Amino acid sequence: MKTCPKCRQKTDKKQCPSCALVFADYEQEKMRKTGEVYQLISGGELLKAKELAEKLSLEFPESRTDFILLVSNINRDLNIAKKYRHAQNLFDQDEHEQVALVLRNIKAFDPGLEEKVIALRQKAKQQGKYAEQFKKTVDLFEKQWYGEAWIAFHKLQKHNKNDKKIDIYLKKLDKIRKGLIDEVVQDLGENDFQLAQEKFNKIMAIFPDAE
């Protein structure tokens, strides 16, 4: 015996004798419309998915609990999507540590949204490490440890070729190196070979590739 979901009549037939509802057709229609909800979720149309799921909870009352759970999951993803947009704005402002905090321990119901959250979290982590390395390298430059800074900036450049800030510091270092070389050339021109040798040794200690 089964209970008709429409009129609550009990029957062992394939069709309700009271309201003529065909149970197989009813179940097929429920599955089709539930599939529409998941298609909307996959397409990122969470608000439309929520609206449809809420309607289906009334249209298919015997599955109301399932649809309420589905709506709850969609509400969670709507909140995650909001956090994701906020995290994107923070990422664009180079606030990488804040991005990690906003997206910490987040797991979305929608696989597409989950993938985007994970990707942004990983990018923020990588950029955070890079920002820390860049700061340490700038500190080397500020302390006038030009040789170490020269090597460190070139290492950073291998993985961040489009960072114009690196180019600026490398140009500054190149200008310093050329200035030191010009002093050696001037001393040689004045036949001050000893002073030239001392300055040359200094250059080689700082910039080994200057030879």
Side-chain angles (χ1 to χ4, degrees), residues 20-93:
L21 178 71
V22 178
F23 300 130
D25 292 345
Y26 177 86
E27 290 297 327
Q28 186 175 3
E29 180 68 4
K30 180 171 65 175
M31 290 178 62
R32 185 185 69 80
K33 290 187 176 181
T34 302
E36 289 180 7
V37 176
Y38 283 98
Q39 285 180 350
L40 289 170
I41 291 172
S42 298
E45 299 184 72
L46 297 176
L47 284 174
K48 289 183 178 180
K50 177 184 175 181
E51 290 175 3
L52 180 55
E54 288 174 339
K55 289 179 181 178
L56 295 182
S57 69
L58 300 175
E59 188 174 343
F60 302 98
E62 84 291 352
S63 299
R64 186 169 182 269
T65 301
D66 294 334
F67 286 114
I68 288 176
L69 177 61
L70 183 56
V71 169
S72 176
N73 287 332
I74 295 171
N75 280 331
R76 183 183 66 185
D77 279 7
L78 283 168
N79 184 47
I80 291 174
K82 183 179 179 180
K83 288 184 178 180
Y84 174 77
R85 290 192 297 271
H86 177 51
Q88 276 188 312
N89 291 332
L90 290 171
F91 184 87
D92 293 339
Q93 297 168 18

Side-chain angles (χ1 to χ4, degrees), residues 188-203:
L188 289 172
E190 297 173 356
N191 295 325
D192 195 340
F193 299 115
Q194 183 177 352
L195 184 58
Q197 183 64 52
E198 291 175 359
K199 290 184 177 179
F200 178 73
N201 292 338
K202 179 181 177 181
I203 294 171

